[in-house]
Amino acid sequence: MTGTTHPADGNCTCSDRPTRRVIVYFENQDTTGDLVLEYAATYTEACEFASAAVRSGLAITVDRKIRPDLRPLPCRRLWR
């Protein structure tokens, strides 16, 4: 899987309300399978986090399939 990022200032509809689902894929070398985590984030948080995560080698997906049960992106104030 590869990540794609977009500049945080393009098409920004910034608000404090999460509008993006961030999916982070962690490959597991064990037989237990890969770990996939989903979070809710604002557009800006999702862009900033995805950019940093891709640079670190993580596989990331960002989409608009937000659900009420999604946890907020950890340390979300770091991505603002």
Side-chain angles (χ1 to χ4, degrees):
M1 292 177 212
T2 59
T4 303
T5 62
H6 302 282
D9 59 330
N11 298 326
C12 183
T13 57
C14 297
S15 71
D16 287 336
R17 188 175 60 87
T19 59
R20 300 296 189 269
R21 176 178 67 158
V22 176
I23 307 169
V24 185
Y25 304 91
F26 297 93
E27 291 182 15
N28 188 350
Q29 303 302 326
D30 296 339
T31 58
T32 58
D34 295 345
L35 177 63
V36 178
L37 300 175
E38 296 180 310
Y39 300 103
T42 66
Y43 174 84
T44 302
E45 291 166 347
C47 289
E48 294 292 327
F49 177 79
S51 178
V54 168
R55 283 193 308 269
S56 297
L58 292 174
I60 301 289
T61 300
V62 176
D63 61 29
R64 294 180 184 207
K65 296 179 182 176
I66 192 85
R67 299 186 317 266
D69 64 325
L70 289 176
R71 294 172 290 182
L73 187 65
C75 300
R76 64 183 281 187
R77 68 182 174 274
L78 295 175
W79 314 114
R80 300 189 96 165

